[in-house]
Amino acid sequence: MKRWLTARAVKFSLVAGLLLAVAVPGALLSESADAGTAPPAKIPVDPATCTAIPVTGFGAAAGPLANGSGCRKFTVTEFGSHLIRAADANNGTLPTAVYSGGALICVINWCSLATGTYDVVVDAGADEPYSAPFRTTVTNLGGAGCKTVDAQGFSAVRLGTFTSPGQVDCLALPAPPGRYQVTLPPGDPATRPMVRLVQGQDTMICADVTSTSGCVVDVPVALRLIVVSQDPRPTGEYRLAVQRTSTANECAAMPTGTPGKPGQVTFPLSDDAFISCHTVSEGVLTLDRLGGDGTADLVVYDRAGLPICDSAPAAAYQVYGCKVAKGQTAVVRSAGGSGTFRLSQVGPLGANCRAVTSTAFGGPATAGATTGGGDVQCYRTADHSWIDAHGAVPAIRYLLDGKLYKCAALPCLVPGTEVLVTSEQPASYQLDTWAVGSVRSTPTDCAVVTDSAAYGFGPVGGTLSPGDRAWCVAVPVGVIDEYRLKITASGAKPASYVIRRDGAIVACEDLCWTESLPAGSHVLFAFVGDGGAFQVEGECLTLLCDHQHWNAGGSESPKIPVIAGTRTTVTIGGVALHQQDNLWVSRDGAKVAPIVIKSVDGSRTRYTAEIDATALTAGVYDLSATNTVNPSQVFTTPGRVVVSATSIVATRKPAIVGTAAVGAVVRVNPGAWSPAPRSYTYRWAANGAPISGATGSSYTIPASLRGKRLTVSVTAASADSVSAPVSSAALTVGYGVAPKATRKPKITGTAKVAKTVKASVGSWSPRATAYRYEWRVNGKLVATTAALKLKKTWATKKLTLTVIAKRTGHHDGRAVSVTVKIKK
């Protein structure tokens, strides 16, 4: 059996802060009938058979139960919003449609109607007139008889009574503009009255008035609350609360408080007394339950009356709330059941938040205590801190963007700098507050793994003591790396954690996972214990950790020179190299000579290896390799190994020509070779480490090399031979030449007693990076500032300015201004 379509099809629009609802033809018919098809566009019954009914007023009984042709007729004498409702013998709403002149004009209970005569048709469910008895109510929502409601209704809940089924009551909000909160008691929505808000010709300003949380409404003009009796409670009492939440409300003022002495107020909540409101001041507001089985929620409204903070209802002892400001309104609503609740306030936080004993990782804990439920102790710590508590472990919360959040478990990582401690009973505790740092930074007191972590990290470790209970290490990570930890300790093995930058601190005894982070990021491993030395190694269990992609002897590496008939030790470059990798010399895909890996450097970018060329002839060969974690995939670099029949030998070592000083250009004297080569290649190095990009025959020395030992290695090549690299003698890089003044400094301003003169530095070559100043009166140094106020005792004396020009890595340059006489 098909029924007329009764799903809520209402179009909403936000206008000046109001949620408006307008009728959509062919859509909503009622609140409770089954879904089905839309009503017919033309009236499905003979209008002559429709029984005439009056338009009733507020508080009046609905029409009597009567049957007939399934339709009723009524006449509107005044334009406005009307409620049209048909109900069965149990006061259950029936699906209806309103017709004018035989045409469908309204398909919701709330219709805006002009003057004229209308027909209401009740759906029978099978294209037949509704035959069971029903009553019909038609009420002009703008009519007389609306009762004024006190706008301070959260302290005195409005109580009304339905004396007859289908009764429609009207409650008028006061005229002063502002924002108001309309709330019904908790419980089964079917046991509460139907409530709609009317403002002028607009109905259903808030579609969720029937929910426990209520509805915030802006009232620029008079507003009416339409309350309708509906199934299954056709008669009896109903409750409704209306409260002004913007400025000038009459909610009770919350007492102020400080940590250890919170301001508190207690009150019962139930289905009858289901709401309470309070004006608050600056600080932290919390709500907890003292007794009973009820639940409640807390909403804070700003001075404009808009909700800014709320909490979900919770069972048993809970503390929740938010940061508030002076003049805001806190509203506590019952969410079901009965109980006694306590609202507490501590603030303002700034001066009442204590400094912690230590933010150093593993540093001493901060001792504290709470006085009991509702008390809030506040601490200022570093942003992104490890927070843990010992003793009578309290609940830890923190403030972020004005809202209060709870650590789901301890230890936890807290974003923000204000940490709050609460507890149900008085409690003494020790609070750890260790700075952790952001995603791309690490605490200065944590060790840092600087070598490649492609296959893991360590061994690393430290010593724990009562005054330094934790140790941390920053490990470079990639995409969800997995590590197996091997920990050895002189005493009890410390507990291990991963401090993830997504806000989680994860305990891991053996296996640890990291979250996905950008390349260049670190994750912290933490080890906490009572004392003693320990050491830890982390084995990477994923393919490769730290965003690493293995490469051996790639295209960026130089040629590898080898002498035929010899065993030659060589250096081979790459990425994520491992001692257990497998290398060989190949040609046309076949292995022709073995390569033995002797060692891998800490950065895992260089092998030291031996190539066995005893069976090779002169020519160019390929380098082939497999990685230890993926031995089935062969990586081949063509033409990487060059085997020479004879060796080119240096008869005179290369030398650096020029002065080894910052800013100087030095050149290579390649030395003498036999036989004479066709070409040379160069590699400059500082303290033995190759300088990136420095492969030319000349090199300009930067300031970063000051004090380091500079060398250059030369490799000679002919048509069929390549020499081994030969290095020059090392030169220690000295300071560069001092900047010289191309335009002398001068004294600017009037050189007169009580006046201030300033230094003009002039021009310098090379350009200075900083300046110092020396002012002298009759040759005596009197100041080193950029400006000088002339004293009375200096009258008639001679004033000079010396400017010292500084350039990083260079000697200082000095220049003196023209002498001026100080006037009286």
Side-chain angles (χ1 to χ4, degrees):
M1 177 184 296
K2 290 185 177 181
R3 303 295 301 271
W4 290 348
L5 183 66
T6 58
R8 278 190 190 176
V10 181
K11 182 171 66 179
F12 294 98
S13 61
L14 191 64
V15 180
L18 299 180
L19 188 62
L20 305 183
V22 296
V24 181
L28 180 70
L29 284 185
S30 73
E31 293 289 333
S32 61
D34 298 330
T37 60
K42 297 295 183 181
I43 190 168
V45 299
D46 182 0
T49 64
C50 296
T51 304
I53 60 171
V55 176
T56 58
F58 296 120
L65 276 173
N67 49 16
S69 61
C71 70
R72 300 287 187 266
K73 186 185 300 292
F74 64 92
T75 300
V76 172
T77 59
E78 182 179 358
F79 171 78
S81 294
H82 287 69
L83 166 65
I84 302 100
R85 179 174 178 269
D88 60 20
N90 295 318
N91 199 30
T93 301
L94 297 171
T96 58
V98 179
Y99 293 84
S100 176
L104 179 69
I105 61 131
C106 183
V107 290
I108 59 176
N109 300 81
W110 317 84
C111 301
S112 184
L113 301 177
T115 57
T117 300
Y118 298 89
D119 298 304
V120 182
V121 179
V122 179
D123 178 22
D127 299 328
E128 59 190 39
Y130 189 78
S131 58
F134 66 95
R135 57 171 55 89
T136 307
T137 303
V138 179
T139 305
N140 179 4
L141 303 182
C146 202
K147 300 176 182 179
T148 301
V149 177
D150 183 359
Q152 312 305 327
F154 284 179
S155 55
V157 173
R158 169 76 184 184
L159 178 65
T161 303
F162 290 127
T163 59
S164 63
Q167 179 180 326
V168 180
D169 282 357
C170 178
L171 308 175
L173 283 181
R179 284 192 171 85
Y180 292 78
Q181 171 64 237
V182 183
T183 305
L184 293 170
D188 184 355
T191 67
R192 302 196 295 265
M194 182 193 305
V195 177
R196 290 294 181 270
L197 281 69
V198 179
Q199 197 167 63
Q201 299 305 314
D202 296 317
T203 62
M204 297 174 65
I205 290 174
C206 287
D208 63 347
V209 181
T210 54
S211 71
T212 303
S213 60
C215 146
V216 177
V217 59
D218 196 351
V219 183
V221 296
L223 180 72
R224 292 184 167 197
L225 283 70
I226 307 302
V227 188
V228 183
S229 166
Q230 65 173 350
D231 176 61
R233 193 178 62 176
T235 60
E237 294 181 344
Y238 65 86
R239 285 171 172 78
L240 180 71
V242 181
Q243 175 65 47
R244 181 183 174 91
T245 55
S246 49
T247 55
N249 63 49
E250 297 179 8
C251 295
M254 271 292 299
T256 58
T258 56
K261 296 181 66 176
Q264 296 181 326
V265 61
T266 60
F267 45 86
L269 291 179
S270 63
D271 290 348
D272 293 336
F274 58 89
I275 202 154
S276 181
C277 73
H278 309 269
T279 301
V280 299
S281 56
E282 182 181 356
V284 169
L285 196 68
T286 62
L287 173 70
D288 66 291
R289 188 181 69 185
L290 298 178
D293 62 357
T295 57
D297 57 31
L298 168 67
V299 181
V300 176
Y301 297 87
D302 63 15
R303 293 174 63 86
L306 290 174
I308 58 171
C309 174
D310 55 35
S311 62
Y317 175 83
Q318 293 287 334
V319 175
Y320 40 81
C322 62
K323 189 175 182 180
V324 295
K326 185 177 181 180
Q328 294 177 345
T329 303
V331 174
V332 184
R333 300 184 185 87
S334 170
S338 300
T340 301
F341 294 86
R342 172 173 53 195
L343 195 62
S344 304
Q345 182 172 271
V346 171
L349 292 183
N352 291 315
C353 285
R354 297 167 50 194
V356 297
T357 301
S358 174
T359 60
F361 201 88
T366 300
T370 60
T371 60
D375 185 19
V376 176
Q377 297 292 334
C378 180
Y379 299 89
R380 294 186 307 275
T381 187
D383 190 13
H384 290 86
S385 290
W386 164 301
I387 304 296
D388 201 358
H390 314 278
V393 179
I396 304 296
R397 289 167 173 80
Y398 57 92
L399 278 170
L400 184 64
D401 298 330
K403 291 190 176 182
L404 195 62
Y405 297 88
K406 180 181 179 181
C407 288
L410 293 178
C412 76
L413 186 62
V414 169
T417 59
E418 292 172 308
V419 176
L420 308 178
V421 179
T422 62
S423 61
E424 181 177 3
Q425 302 295 332
S428 297
Y429 53 84
Q430 298 285 322
L431 192 67
D432 293 331
T433 53
W434 303 332
V436 169
S438 62
V439 172
R440 289 192 175 272
S441 66
T442 56
T444 56
D445 45 5
C446 284
V448 179
V449 172
T450 56
D451 289 340
S452 168
Y455 302 95
F457 64 91
V460 294
T463 301
L464 303 177
S465 66
D468 190 2
R469 298 176 41 253
W471 186 89
C472 56
V473 58
V475 178
V477 294
V479 181
I480 313 181
D481 293 341
E482 180 183 2
Y483 288 92
R484 176 185 288 118
L485 300 184
K486 179 183 178 182
I487 303 174
T488 57
S490 59
K493 187 171 75 171
S496 53
Y497 300 86
V498 173
I499 307 175
R500 294 166 41 132
R501 305 311 168 88
D502 62 1
I505 297 178
V506 182
C508 48
E509 290 188 7
D510 297 311
L511 300 181
C512 299
W513 288 266
T514 71
E515 81 270 41
S516 179
L517 290 174
S521 300
H522 289 73
V523 72
L524 292 181
F525 285 81
F527 304 91
V528 182
D530 295 328
F534 75 96
Q535 194 172 76
V536 59
E537 291 185 69
E539 176 191 359
C540 176
L541 298 182
T542 47
L543 190 61
L544 284 176
C545 291
D546 188 22
H547 285 283
Q548 296 292 302
H549 301 280
W550 177 79
N551 172 293
S555 58
E556 299 300 320
S557 299
K559 301 290 186 181
I560 303 171
V562 179
I563 305 302
T566 67
R567 297 179 184 273
T568 306
T569 299
V570 298
T571 298
I572 302 173
V575 178
L577 307 180
H578 194 279
Q579 180 81 37
Q580 302 303 318
D581 293 341
N582 189 16
L583 278 66
W584 64 92
V585 178
S586 63
R587 176 176 280 178
D588 298 328
K591 180 177 180 179
V592 295
I595 300 178
V596 177
I597 300 172
K598 297 296 186 66
S599 64
V600 176
D601 72 335
S603 66
R604 296 191 179 275
T605 58
R606 290 193 301 276
Y607 298 110
T608 298
E610 182 184 81
I611 297 180
D612 183 358
T614 55
L616 297 182
T617 59
V620 177
Y621 295 82
D622 303 332
L623 174 68
S624 294
T626 62
N627 183 225
T628 182
V629 299
N630 191 14
S632 63
Q633 184 175 359
V634 178
F635 185 87
T636 298
T637 307
R640 183 60 62 227
V641 180
V642 178
V643 179
S644 303
T646 58
S647 177
I648 303 174
V649 178
T651 58
R652 187 177 73 252
K653 290 179 62 175
I656 298 174
V657 180
T659 302
V662 172
V665 177
V666 290
R667 292 175 172 80
V668 181
N669 179 336
W673 300 78
S674 180
R678 288 187 178 183
S679 62
Y680 301 102
T681 57
Y682 311 97
R683 171 66 74 179
W684 296 85
N687 286 353
I691 301 170
S692 176
T695 57
S697 60
S698 64
Y699 181 62
T700 301
I701 302 174
S704 59
L705 263 58
R706 217 282 308 160
K708 295 185 178 180
R709 294 170 60 80
L710 182 68
T711 57
V712 65
S713 62
V714 178
T715 301
S718 62
D720 60 355
S721 299
V722 178
S723 74
V726 177
S727 294
S728 70
L731 298 180
T732 300
V733 177
Y735 285 99
V737 297
K740 293 183 179 180
T742 58
R743 188 175 75 250
K744 293 180 65 175
K746 65 179 181 178
I747 300 169
T748 62
T750 302
K752 185 176 181 181
V753 169
K755 296 289 187 179
T756 298
V757 292
K758 296 181 179 179
S760 173
V761 298
S763 299
W764 299 80
S765 179
R767 185 164 54 91
T769 55
Y771 298 96
R772 289 194 301 108
Y773 311 94
E774 293 178 352
W775 297 90
R776 288 180 171 82
V777 176
N778 279 1
K780 181 180 179 181
L781 180 67
V782 295
T784 59
T785 55
L788 176 68
K789 187 173 183 179
L790 302 178
K791 297 180 180 179
K792 185 176 180 180
T793 56
W794 296 344
T796 73
K797 294 183 179 181
K798 296 178 181 180
L799 176 68
T800 59
L801 165 69
T802 301
V803 174
I804 298 95
K806 304 181 74 63
R807 180 178 175 86
T808 304
H810 289 249
H811 292 290
D812 293 344
R814 302 174 67 90
V816 182
S817 71
V818 173
T819 301
V820 298
K821 185 176 181 180
I822 301 173
K823 299 176 183 179
K824 293 184 178 179

